[in-house]
Structures are given as structure tokens and as C-alpha cells.
Amino acid sequence: MPHQSAPRPRTSPWWRHAAIYQIYIRSFADGNGDGVGDIAGVRARLPHLRDLGVDALWFNPWYVSPMADAGYDVADYRDIDPLFGTLAEAEELIGEAHGHGMRVVVDIVPNHCSDQHPWFRQALAAGPGSPERERFWFLPGRGAHGELAPNDWQSYFGGPAWTRVTEADGSPGPWYLHMFAPEQPDFNWEHPEVRAEFEDVLRFWLDRGVDGFRIDVAHGLAKKPGLPDVGEHPDPTDLPYQDVDAVHDVYRDWRKILDGYPGERVFIGEVWLPEAEQAARYLRSDELHSAFNFDYLCCPWDPGALREVVDATLASHATVGAPPTWVLSNHDTIRHVTRYGRADTSFDMGDKRLLDPSDPVLGRRRARAAALLSLALPGSVYVYQGDELALPEVQDLPDEVLQDPTFVRSGGRDRGRDGCRVPLPWDAAGPSLGFSTPPAAARPWLPQPEQWAALSAAAQHEDPYSVLSLYREALALRATGPALLPETLEWADAGHDALCFDRPGGFRSLTAFATPVRLPEGAEVILSSSPLETDPAGGKFLPPDTTAWLRLPTAGGGAPDGRTED
């Protein structure tokens, strides 16, 4: 590898290399003692996030909502739900986060709203054929009396994607489309009032200082003209309710609005599509800035599979000049500590293997290794709240506490997503493990396992070998090393059961999987996810399921500095 001097301060936009922390607000921290996380709780814990070393915070929806789908059923896009606080508190939080050097990204939910949104209530009241109904998808049913749904589309949450209206006079009316729960009617994005409304919502939050938006179901806004049937053997790359070309016109208009504001504002898309090339089209220079890498999130803990995903990601993003992203868990998926402890370490949406046995020690070891691997890759990285504590999925929540609509809609066959949404443990003792501010009488909205006391932020804070300490050190080193390097990597050979790549400046990431891997001669260990081992001859090697960051002996010191853990 050619010699390269120490990396200079990066001049490219922050979002190309940021570490972004996802806050699922109802489960992050409770500031008023009612058992539900809120803005006050986040504000109190901002020092934790600052010290963790993240660059930005992404908030799941905090808008006024009946909470049929944990806030993704929005009734008012311009106000905060009282469960979480007030608009004034949100504005103060944005300013305080900026004061700590962290940017703020908020969720926007443009595919659908709540059935309690004023527009939908007006549509129901206005009756058949009214202009108010044209903002949504109201269609007559099929069959002799309209008793059959307009087409064969199925909801992502299970069951038909259509619900029939009962009119004010008690007569059966048309059907309305909801690709998620019946309480979440889809907007008709062919209607100019829908487009104008969301452009105004963007400006509302940009004027309050947010640095960008994570776009929910970014691929789903447009529908194919005529809303045709999917059919018995659908092509997953050509479904009539997602990735329809007209959606790109929406984002080109949105981008013009965003680019009119100072400070490198950003759009991040939830673009979950079967082919990387499809997702890359959303990242063209006049559309979104970045999108979540679900192929990486779903990938098994396997060197060949991971290398294939990394290569495909880099190749597809290079075609549009967009930065890659890396994510291991989020609020919709099984926590990777649990997934990595199973026999099958891959993930599939609607995963039915949730209750499969998982080895927590193995899962935590692999999660540590995966964290360093992800943080070493070029581009931006996401940390879901609790990742820095190595929290596992809560697999034994009682049926009566589950709130995810997927559990109800599937008749209990799908346990839903509540297991990755259990409130965080901040302290090692107390009725809510520090989640609620004392003296709190209310229990957390989902019960926390007793074993989480040992995983709490307080329990890990002073332990130099805890997962929390690993994340803090890795994020600090990344900020002065890998994050400043060009968005390239070069694979190096370390054997069939390892993943090894070099970044410019002499930085190397080496991951051992099922078998140990010897360190290169003369390489300096910057950071390791698990202690190194030594053979009788004095040679050092990585034990299984371990990642190490190295400085190669041929480089002139371009990699970050840090403690050697051996």
C-alpha cells in the first residue's frame, strides 16, 4: 500500500460520514414519571449522547397521534403529542442538541396519516364523490354489490390493504386504501393538495432548526395508475404500490426546498427494495442524500455474505455518487445481539424465528465485532438506542403487553416489534432501572427484564471493557480516522474465514469469524472488540468473532490512535 500522510479535516458534507443515533422516543428516557419516554427525558440524557460521540440524532415520530402504530399514524404533523411534551420543548431540545455539537433529524411520514387526521375525518363526513375524498384512495368495491375489495393488495401488517366505509346513513360505501393498519389511510400523491401540504410541513420543521428528515416508506408514496392487481405470482421488483417512477418527482421538488436552507440539511430514505440498483435511483444528486442499507442489516454473520453486500453497496452507490450507510438494528427489526446468537444469523422482515434459542454470550461477542466492522467501513453509520449497551431482544413479553399492530393483525402468529422497543436501562437498580425520573410511580410501558440491570448505562460506564466503553472509544477514533478517509476500501487476503480491508493511510480492519486469524507481522493494534491471544512463539492472533483495527507497519501513521487491548 502506498504511503499516505495523516488525513486532513474532511471538507465533504457531514452526512457523508456521520454516526447517527436513533432515538425511539417512547423508550429512551422518561422525564415526567408516567412510564413513557419523552422530550424531557431526552434532554436530561443529552450528555450521554454527546459523550458517546455521535454526530446526529434521529427521532422517530413525536407528532400528535392516537398511537395505533406507535406514532406512525400522524394526526398533526406540526405539533408534538402531549405524551412526549410540547412544541416549545422540541424547539429547546433542537437548540440544546446543537449546543452539544449534534444535529437533529426528524421522521416524516408521507405515505399515510392517522384516521384521526382532520383531512380523513373530513373525507368520511363529506361522503361519496366529494373533493375531500380525493386526497386519499377511495374506490368502489368489486362484486355485484361492491362487497369485494377493489384489488388484491395486502397490508404490510397482514390482511387486506382495504377497509370498507360505512356511510353516515348506515349504508356500505366505497373502500379506502391502507398499506399498513386500517387506522393509517394512504395519501393520494397524485393530488396537488397533498404535495403542497407536505412541502409546507418540511418548511415548518426546517424553520425550527432541524437538520433533516428520515422519510418513512420513502419508496411507497406513488401507486401505479389504475391500482392494478398484484396477481398470483408477483415480480418483487415491479409491485404496483412501491417504487413507482412518479415518486422521484416528489423528491426532486422536496430537494429544491431543502437546498434553499443553509447548513447542509439532509434527506434520509427508508428505501427497502429487493435490488440495490432500485434503491440507488433515490440517491441521485437531485433527490435524497442517503438511504438505509437493509441488505447489510439482514446479512448473516458470514464473511462471504458480508463481503458480497459491502461490494454491492459500494458499487451501486458509486453510480450516483452517494455515500453508503451501515446499520445493524432499528426499531422494526430483531436486535442484532439476539440475531447473532442464533443458528441462523440472517434477518427477514416478518421473521418468524423470533423465539428461536439464542446464545447471549456468543451474540454479544459477535455484536462487538460487528460494531467495529461497521464503524470501519466508508460512509455513515447508524446506532440504534441500546446498541451501545448490547441490549438483546426481549423474547418473552406477555401477550397482554404487546402493542405492535402486526401482532393483532397476524392473529398472534407474528410477535411483532415490541421486543426491540423495550425501555432502556440507565441504572442498575430501581423499579424502572433509571428509565423514569424518580419518584416515578408508573411502570415502563413495556416491562424490562431483570437481567438488564447488569447491562445498564451506569453498570457499564466505568468498565473499560464494556460494550459502552467500546462504542465510545471506537466512535472517538472513527471521528479522527476512518470518518476522515476517502470513501474507498481495498480488500486484503486473510483467509477464507476472515474479512479484511484497508483504507487509505495504513488503516486496516480485520475480522475473524469461526476460526482464529493471525495478525500481520509488525501491525499495531489500535482497538480490538475482544482480547487478543498469543501463541507459544509469541505471535498474536484474533480469536473467533473478533474485529481489530490495525495500523500497518508500512504506513506513516495515517490511522487513528488508541489503546491496544491485548
Side-chain angles (χ1 to χ4, degrees):
M1 176 181 295
H3 168 79
Q4 179 171 315
S5 60
R8 298 176 180 177
R10 180 180 283 278
T11 58
S12 60
W14 67 273
W15 43 267
R16 296 195 70 96
H17 54 88
I20 302 174
Y21 187 95
Q22 180 188 355
I23 294 180
Y24 189 74
I25 192 166
R26 63 174 45 233
S27 297
F28 185 73
D30 171 21
N32 65 4
D34 65 355
V36 178
D38 49 35
I39 292 173
V42 176
R43 293 173 68 186
R45 297 294 182 178
L46 284 176
H48 168 86
L49 299 168
R50 176 202 61 208
D51 295 345
L52 184 61
V54 295
D55 302 297
L57 311 176
W58 154 38
F59 289 89
N60 288 102
W62 53 11
Y63 313 109
V64 175
S65 168
M67 302 295 167
D69 182 25
Y72 281 94
D73 50 318
V74 180
D76 186 346
Y77 290 85
R78 296 178 183 82
D79 203 0
I80 300 297
D81 194 281
L83 187 68
F84 302 135
T86 67
L87 181 59
E89 286 182 288
E91 292 172 340
E92 291 171 349
L93 169 59
I94 293 167
E96 290 168 1
H98 287 165
H100 285 298
M102 296 178 291
R103 300 176 189 260
V104 174
V105 174
V106 297
D107 238 302
I108 190 168
V109 189
N111 179 72
H112 50 265
C113 64
S114 167
D115 61 356
Q116 300 303 306
H117 188 284
W119 277 11
F120 193 73
R121 296 176 71 176
Q122 293 165 13
L124 293 179
S130 63
E132 289 83 355
R133 290 195 175 182
E134 293 177 2
R135 297 164 173 158
F136 302 92
W137 293 105
F138 283 88
L139 292 180
R142 297 189 286 193
H145 305 287
E147 72 277 10
L148 302 177
N151 64 30
D152 64 355
W153 295 4
Q154 295 294 298
S155 162
Y156 291 114
F157 285 168
W162 296 90
T163 292
R164 195 172 193 184
V165 171
T166 299
E167 302 293 2
D169 62 2
S171 63
W175 300 66
Y176 69 89
L177 176 66
H178 52 86
M179 289 307 302
F180 292 87
E183 296 88 350
Q184 296 169 288
D186 277 42
F187 284 112
N188 174 9
W189 273 87
E190 296 177 7
H191 198 292
E193 291 184 13
V194 173
R195 297 184 66 146
E197 169 70 1
F198 275 93
E199 290 175 1
D200 189 73
V201 169
L202 292 177
R203 293 188 181 95
F204 179 89
W205 288 103
L206 290 167
D207 289 341
R208 277 151 186 81
V210 304
D211 299 284
F213 301 88
R214 177 266 190 186
I215 306 169
D216 185 58
V217 198
H219 55 279
L221 279 56
K223 275 70 175 178
K224 278 192 176 181
L227 280 64
D229 282 346
V230 172
E232 292 186 9
H233 305 288
D235 178 356
T237 67
D238 187 27
L239 296 172
Y241 47 79
Q242 68 180 39
D243 195 36
V244 176
D245 284 343
V247 74
H248 297 285
D249 295 332
V250 174
Y251 297 136
R252 291 188 186 100
D253 289 342
W254 283 17
R255 183 63 180 265
K256 293 173 186 175
I257 294 172
L258 204 71
D259 287 348
Y261 283 79
E264 298 178 346
R265 315 291 177 104
V266 63
F267 284 130
I268 302 163
E270 183 196 27
V271 183
W272 200 318
L273 293 169
E275 294 184 350
E277 293 74 14
Q278 289 178 284
R281 290 198 293 267
Y282 292 76
L283 305 179
R284 290 173 287 198
S285 61
D286 58 349
E287 295 189 47
L288 310 183
H289 298 79
S290 67
F292 296 121
N293 190 341
F294 291 110
D295 288 341
Y296 186 76
L297 184 153
C298 296
C299 190
W301 182 246
D302 174 82
L306 283 164
R307 177 166 176 168
E308 185 177 339
V309 167
V310 170
D311 280 340
T313 298
L314 295 177
S316 63
H317 284 63
T319 63
V320 290
T325 66
W326 315 101
V327 57
L328 297 170
S329 293
N330 66 26
H331 67 294
D332 285 331
T333 63
I334 297 170
R335 284 193 177 271
H336 62 278
V337 169
T338 296
R339 177 164 60 92
Y340 285 156
R342 300 183 314 192
D344 184 345
T345 57
S346 64
F347 173 77
D348 186 16
M349 201 64 178
D351 204 317
K352 303 301 188 297
R353 298 165 296 172
L354 179 57
L355 298 180
D356 285 359
S358 177
D359 180 341
V361 175
L362 178 62
R364 192 172 300 116
R365 183 181 182 89
R366 288 174 170 173
R368 292 174 64 103
L372 287 197
L373 170 61
S374 302
L375 291 168
L377 290 165
S380 59
V381 65
Y382 288 82
V383 179
Y384 178 45
Q385 64 179 44
D387 284 357
E388 78 276 23
L389 305 178
L391 295 184
E393 187 84 2
V394 181
Q395 300 179 268
D396 58 353
L397 289 170
D399 289 0
E400 60 269 20
V401 306
L402 297 179
Q403 299 189 23
D404 189 350
T406 60
F407 176 70
V408 177
R409 296 274 292 174
S410 69
R413 294 185 303 274
D414 188 332
R415 298 292 297 173
R417 299 161 293 175
D418 290 317
C420 65
R421 301 174 176 183
V422 174
L424 296 189
W426 291 97
D427 298 331
S432 68
L433 299 179
F435 171 69
S436 292
T437 302
R443 293 180 178 272
W445 71 280
L446 285 175
Q448 302 157 306
E450 293 182 3
Q451 305 93 303
W452 276 20
L455 300 177
S456 68
Q460 297 194 41
H461 180 73
E462 299 297 335
D463 180 358
Y465 299 105
S466 69
V467 177
L468 178 57
S469 293
L470 179 71
Y471 265 87
R472 284 175 173 168
E473 187 164 8
L475 285 164
L477 292 170
R478 179 182 183 274
T480 59
L484 300 179
L485 299 174
E487 295 168 8
T488 60
L489 63 77
E490 181 178 343
W491 295 108
D493 183 19
H496 73 281
D497 198 32
L499 205 58
C500 184
F501 60 85
D502 296 332
R503 303 282 305 278
F507 177 89
R508 170 169 288 188
S509 175
L510 175 61
T511 303
F513 287 80
T515 56
V517 176
R518 185 174 297 278
L519 295 184
E521 188 69 28
E524 178 186 351
V525 179
I526 302 165
L527 185 63
S528 177
S529 65
S530 297
L532 305 184
E533 297 183 1
T534 305
D535 63 23
K540 293 183 178 180
F541 59 89
L542 267 64
D545 298 315
T546 300
T547 296
W549 290 357
L550 310 175
R551 177 187 290 110
L552 297 180
T554 56
D561 293 316
R563 169 176 58 84
T564 299
E565 182 173 309
D566 57 4

mmCIF file of all heavy atoms in Angstrom, residues 183-206:
data_model
loop_
_atom_site.group_PDB
_atom_site.id
_atom_site.type_symbol
_atom_site.label_atom_id
_atom_site.label_comp_id
_atom_site.label_asym_id
_atom_site.label_seq_id
_atom_site.Cartn_x
_atom_site.Cartn_y
_atom_site.Cartn_z
ATOM 1 N N GLU A 183 -56.087 2.061 10.541
ATOM 2 C CA GLU A 183 -56.026 3.410 11.120
ATOM 3 C C GLU A 183 -55.027 4.316 10.401
ATOM 4 O O GLU A 183 -54.815 5.465 10.820
ATOM 5 C CB GLU A 183 -55.632 3.321 12.598
ATOM 6 C CG GLU A 183 -56.642 2.593 13.477
ATOM 7 C CD GLU A 183 -56.416 1.088 13.543
ATOM 8 O OE1 GLU A 183 -55.581 0.578 12.752
ATOM 9 O OE2 GLU A 183 -57.064 0.423 14.381
ATOM 10 N N GLN A 184 -54.422 3.821 9.297
ATOM 11 C CA GLN A 184 -53.398 4.570 8.574
ATOM 12 C C GLN A 184 -53.737 4.670 7.082
ATOM 13 O O GLN A 184 -53.114 4.019 6.246
ATOM 14 C CB GLN A 184 -52.030 3.889 8.757
ATOM 15 C CG GLN A 184 -51.542 3.883 10.202
ATOM 16 C CD GLN A 184 -50.339 2.985 10.410
ATOM 17 O OE1 GLN A 184 -50.459 1.758 10.377
ATOM 18 N NE2 GLN A 184 -49.174 3.568 10.614
ATOM 19 N N PRO A 185 -54.708 5.495 6.722
ATOM 20 C CA PRO A 185 -55.085 5.613 5.305
ATOM 21 C C PRO A 185 -53.966 6.219 4.471
ATOM 22 O O PRO A 185 -53.304 7.170 4.884
ATOM 23 C CB PRO A 185 -56.306 6.536 5.348
ATOM 24 C CG PRO A 185 -56.159 7.303 6.628
ATOM 25 C CD PRO A 185 -55.523 6.364 7.594
ATOM 26 N N ASP A 186 -53.752 5.670 3.282
ATOM 27 C CA ASP A 186 -52.726 6.168 2.372
ATOM 28 C C ASP A 186 -53.177 7.465 1.715
ATOM 29 O O ASP A 186 -54.319 7.590 1.264
ATOM 30 C CB ASP A 186 -52.436 5.139 1.276
ATOM 31 C CG ASP A 186 -51.462 4.073 1.725
ATOM 32 O OD1 ASP A 186 -51.594 3.599 2.869
ATOM 33 O OD2 ASP A 186 -50.584 3.710 0.918
ATOM 34 N N PHE A 187 -52.246 8.415 1.618
ATOM 35 C CA PHE A 187 -52.500 9.626 0.842
ATOM 36 C C PHE A 187 -52.461 9.312 -0.647
ATOM 37 O O PHE A 187 -51.732 8.415 -1.101
ATOM 38 C CB PHE A 187 -51.432 10.688 1.140
ATOM 39 C CG PHE A 187 -51.588 11.387 2.455
ATOM 40 C CD1 PHE A 187 -50.654 11.187 3.469
ATOM 41 C CD2 PHE A 187 -52.636 12.261 2.682
ATOM 42 C CE1 PHE A 187 -50.771 11.845 4.677
ATOM 43 C CE2 PHE A 187 -52.764 12.923 3.901
ATOM 44 C CZ PHE A 187 -51.833 12.710 4.900
ATOM 45 N N ASN A 188 -53.199 10.090 -1.415
ATOM 46 C CA ASN A 188 -53.146 10.044 -2.874
ATOM 47 C C ASN A 188 -52.157 11.105 -3.333
ATOM 48 O O ASN A 188 -52.488 12.299 -3.389
ATOM 49 C CB ASN A 188 -54.532 10.298 -3.455
ATOM 50 C CG ASN A 188 -54.506 10.408 -4.983
ATOM 51 O OD1 ASN A 188 -53.485 10.130 -5.620
ATOM 52 N ND2 ASN A 188 -55.618 10.825 -5.560
ATOM 53 N N TRP A 189 -50.949 10.684 -3.666
ATOM 54 C CA TRP A 189 -49.908 11.636 -4.031
ATOM 55 C C TRP A 189 -50.061 12.191 -5.446
ATOM 56 O O TRP A 189 -49.231 12.996 -5.888
ATOM 57 C CB TRP A 189 -48.532 11.007 -3.820
ATOM 58 C CG TRP A 189 -48.090 11.210 -2.409
ATOM 59 C CD1 TRP A 189 -48.356 10.421 -1.332
ATOM 60 C CD2 TRP A 189 -47.357 12.322 -1.914
ATOM 61 N NE1 TRP A 189 -47.829 10.962 -0.190
ATOM 62 C CE2 TRP A 189 -47.209 12.127 -0.517
ATOM 63 C CE3 TRP A 189 -46.812 13.457 -2.498
ATOM 64 C CZ2 TRP A 189 -46.533 13.044 0.288
ATOM 65 C CZ3 TRP A 189 -46.130 14.369 -1.700
ATOM 66 C CH2 TRP A 189 -45.998 14.156 -0.331
ATOM 67 N N GLU A 190 -51.121 11.803 -6.148
ATOM 68 C CA GLU A 190 -51.436 12.459 -7.409
ATOM 69 C C GLU A 190 -52.191 13.765 -7.182
ATOM 70 O O GLU A 190 -52.363 14.557 -8.117
ATOM 71 C CB GLU A 190 -52.271 11.522 -8.282
ATOM 72 C CG GLU A 190 -51.535 10.248 -8.697
ATOM 73 C CD GLU A 190 -52.422 9.302 -9.496
ATOM 74 O OE1 GLU A 190 -53.554 9.700 -9.833
ATOM 75 O OE2 GLU A 190 -51.974 8.177 -9.780
ATOM 76 N N HIS A 191 -52.633 13.994 -5.957
ATOM 77 C CA HIS A 191 -53.441 15.171 -5.636
ATOM 78 C C HIS A 191 -52.519 16.347 -5.279
ATOM 79 O O HIS A 191 -51.664 16.231 -4.404
ATOM 80 C CB HIS A 191 -54.362 14.873 -4.455
ATOM 81 C CG HIS A 191 -55.506 15.823 -4.328
ATOM 82 N ND1 HIS A 191 -55.350 17.142 -3.998
ATOM 83 C CD2 HIS A 191 -56.847 15.645 -4.513
ATOM 84 C CE1 HIS A 191 -56.522 17.735 -3.957
ATOM 85 N NE2 HIS A 191 -57.455 16.854 -4.272
ATOM 86 N N PRO A 192 -52.702 17.504 -5.923
ATOM 87 C CA PRO A 192 -51.793 18.639 -5.666
ATOM 88 C C PRO A 192 -51.851 19.148 -4.232
ATOM 89 O O PRO A 192 -50.845 19.665 -3.723
ATOM 90 C CB PRO A 192 -52.272 19.707 -6.656
ATOM 91 C CG PRO A 192 -53.659 19.306 -7.041
ATOM 92 C CD PRO A 192 -53.689 17.812 -6.970
ATOM 93 N N GLU A 193 -52.980 19.011 -3.545
ATOM 94 C CA GLU A 193 -53.059 19.487 -2.167
ATOM 95 C C GLU A 193 -52.191 18.641 -1.240
ATOM 96 O O GLU A 193 -51.646 19.157 -0.251
ATOM 97 C CB GLU A 193 -54.510 19.496 -1.684
ATOM 98 C CG GLU A 193 -55.371 20.547 -2.350
ATOM 99 C CD GLU A 193 -56.777 20.567 -1.771
ATOM 100 O OE1 GLU A 193 -57.017 19.955 -0.720
ATOM 101 O OE2 GLU A 193 -57.643 21.205 -2.407
ATOM 102 N N VAL A 194 -52.055 17.366 -1.523
ATOM 103 C CA VAL A 194 -51.186 16.508 -0.719
ATOM 104 C C VAL A 194 -49.737 16.958 -0.866
ATOM 105 O O VAL A 194 -49.002 17.106 0.123
ATOM 106 C CB VAL A 194 -51.349 15.033 -1.123
ATOM 107 C CG1 VAL A 194 -50.325 14.152 -0.413
ATOM 108 C CG2 VAL A 194 -52.767 14.554 -0.820
ATOM 109 N N ARG A 195 -49.332 17.209 -2.102
ATOM 110 C CA ARG A 195 -47.950 17.629 -2.333
ATOM 111 C C ARG A 195 -47.679 18.984 -1.684
ATOM 112 O O ARG A 195 -46.631 19.184 -1.051
ATOM 113 C CB ARG A 195 -47.666 17.670 -3.828
ATOM 114 C CG ARG A 195 -47.795 16.290 -4.469
ATOM 115 C CD ARG A 195 -47.432 16.286 -5.932
ATOM 116 N NE ARG A 195 -46.022 16.578 -6.142
ATOM 117 C CZ ARG A 195 -45.297 16.056 -7.119
ATOM 118 N NH1 ARG A 195 -45.824 15.180 -7.943
ATOM 119 N NH2 ARG A 195 -44.040 16.386 -7.265
ATOM 120 N N ALA A 196 -48.613 19.905 -1.794
ATOM 121 C CA ALA A 196 -48.420 21.228 -1.205
ATOM 122 C C ALA A 196 -48.373 21.157 0.319
ATOM 123 O O ALA A 196 -47.590 21.864 0.966
ATOM 124 C CB ALA A 196 -49.544 22.160 -1.657
ATOM 125 N N GLU A 197 -49.203 20.301 0.910
ATOM 126 C CA GLU A 197 -49.241 20.166 2.355
ATOM 127 C C GLU A 197 -47.897 19.697 2.900
ATOM 128 O O GLU A 197 -47.370 20.256 3.875
ATOM 129 C CB GLU A 197 -50.344 19.183 2.758
ATOM 130 C CG GLU A 197 -50.331 18.739 4.209
ATOM 131 C CD GLU A 197 -50.721 19.833 5.194
ATOM 132 O OE1 GLU A 197 -51.022 20.961 4.743
ATOM 133 O OE2 GLU A 197 -50.711 19.564 6.411
ATOM 134 N N PHE A 198 -47.314 18.695 2.294
ATOM 135 C CA PHE A 198 -46.058 18.177 2.826
ATOM 136 C C PHE A 198 -44.886 19.111 2.551
ATOM 137 O O PHE A 198 -43.939 19.163 3.349
ATOM 138 C CB PHE A 198 -45.796 16.762 2.306
ATOM 139 C CG PHE A 198 -46.485 15.723 3.133
ATOM 140 C CD1 PHE A 198 -47.746 15.269 2.788
ATOM 141 C CD2 PHE A 198 -45.902 15.236 4.282
ATOM 142 C CE1 PHE A 198 -48.405 14.337 3.571
ATOM 143 C CE2 PHE A 198 -46.542 14.303 5.070
ATOM 144 C CZ PHE A 198 -47.801 13.852 4.718
ATOM 145 N N GLU A 199 -44.944 19.856 1.483
ATOM 146 C CA GLU A 199 -43.901 20.858 1.275
ATOM 147 C C GLU A 199 -43.950 21.913 2.376
ATOM 148 O O GLU A 199 -42.911 22.390 2.850
ATOM 149 C CB GLU A 199 -44.066 21.491 -0.106
ATOM 150 C CG GLU A 199 -43.716 20.537 -1.235
ATOM 151 C CD GLU A 199 -43.988 21.112 -2.614
ATOM 152 O OE1 GLU A 199 -44.432 22.285 -2.691
ATOM 153 O OE2 GLU A 199 -43.764 20.403 -3.618
ATOM 154 N N ASP A 200 -45.146 22.247 2.823
ATOM 155 C CA ASP A 200 -45.283 23.194 3.917
ATOM 156 C C ASP A 200 -44.812 22.591 5.243
ATOM 157 O O ASP A 200 -44.207 23.274 6.075
ATOM 158 C CB ASP A 200 -46.735 23.649 4.039
ATOM 159 C CG ASP A 200 -46.896 24.807 5.023
ATOM 160 O OD1 ASP A 200 -46.495 25.931 4.676
ATOM 161 O OD2 ASP A 200 -47.404 24.562 6.129
ATOM 162 N N VAL A 201 -45.087 21.298 5.452
ATOM 163 C CA VAL A 201 -44.622 20.625 6.666
ATOM 164 C C VAL A 201 -43.093 20.622 6.723
ATOM 165 O O VAL A 201 -42.492 20.857 7.782
ATOM 166 C CB VAL A 201 -45.180 19.190 6.732
ATOM 167 C CG1 VAL A 201 -44.494 18.390 7.833
ATOM 168 C CG2 VAL A 201 -46.693 19.215 6.961
ATOM 169 N N LEU A 202 -42.455 20.379 5.591
ATOM 170 C CA LEU A 202 -40.991 20.421 5.558
ATOM 171 C C LEU A 202 -40.493 21.785 6.011
ATOM 172 O O LEU A 202 -39.589 21.892 6.854
ATOM 173 C CB LEU A 202 -40.484 20.125 4.148
ATOM 174 C CG LEU A 202 -40.685 18.710 3.591
ATOM 175 C CD1 LEU A 202 -40.188 18.657 2.152
ATOM 176 C CD2 LEU A 202 -39.974 17.667 4.433
ATOM 177 N N ARG A 203 -41.069 22.824 5.463
ATOM 178 C CA ARG A 203 -40.627 24.179 5.813
ATOM 179 C C ARG A 203 -40.873 24.467 7.291
ATOM 180 O O ARG A 203 -40.063 25.147 7.946
ATOM 181 C CB ARG A 203 -41.356 25.203 4.938
ATOM 182 C CG ARG A 203 -40.985 25.152 3.455
ATOM 183 C CD ARG A 203 -41.605 26.310 2.686
ATOM 184 N NE ARG A 203 -41.277 26.267 1.267
ATOM 185 C CZ ARG A 203 -42.053 25.729 0.339
ATOM 186 N NH1 ARG A 203 -43.239 25.196 0.687
ATOM 187 N NH2 ARG A 203 -41.694 25.723 -0.919
ATOM 188 N N PHE A 204 -41.991 23.970 7.820
ATOM 189 C CA PHE A 204 -42.312 24.202 9.228
ATOM 190 C C PHE A 204 -41.179 23.721 10.125
ATOM 191 O O PHE A 204 -40.732 24.439 11.029
ATOM 192 C CB PHE A 204 -43.618 23.474 9.577
ATOM 193 C CG PHE A 204 -44.036 23.609 11.012
ATOM 194 C CD1 PHE A 204 -44.838 24.659 11.411
ATOM 195 C CD2 PHE A 204 -43.626 22.680 11.962
ATOM 196 C CE1 PHE A 204 -45.224 24.792 12.752
ATOM 197 C CE2 PHE A 204 -44.008 22.801 13.298
ATOM 198 C CZ PHE A 204 -44.807 23.864 13.685
ATOM 199 N N TRP A 205 -40.678 22.511 9.893
ATOM 200 C CA TRP A 205 -39.632 21.956 10.756
ATOM 201 C C TRP A 205 -38.253 22.493 10.407
ATOM 202 O O TRP A 205 -37.414 22.672 11.303
ATOM 203 C CB TRP A 205 -39.681 20.434 10.706
ATOM 204 C CG TRP A 205 -40.888 19.919 11.439
ATOM 205 C CD1 TRP A 205 -42.050 19.453 10.902
ATOM 206 C CD2 TRP A 205 -41.069 19.906 12.861
ATOM 207 N NE1 TRP A 205 -42.945 19.129 11.897
ATOM 208 C CE2 TRP A 205 -42.378 19.397 13.105
ATOM 209 C CE3 TRP A 205 -40.272 20.252 13.944
ATOM 210 C CZ2 TRP A 205 -42.876 19.233 14.393
ATOM 211 C CZ3 TRP A 205 -40.760 20.094 15.232
ATOM 212 C CH2 TRP A 205 -42.055 19.591 15.446
ATOM 213 N N LEU A 206 -38.009 22.775 9.148
ATOM 214 C CA LEU A 206 -36.737 23.398 8.788
ATOM 215 C C LEU A 206 -36.605 24.767 9.435
ATOM 216 O O LEU A 206 -35.524 25.149 9.901
ATOM 217 C CB LEU A 206 -36.622 23.503 7.264
ATOM 218 C CG LEU A 206 -36.425 22.183 6.519
ATOM 219 C CD1 LEU A 206 -36.650 22.385 5.025
ATOM 220 C CD2 LEU A 206 -35.035 21.615 6.775
#
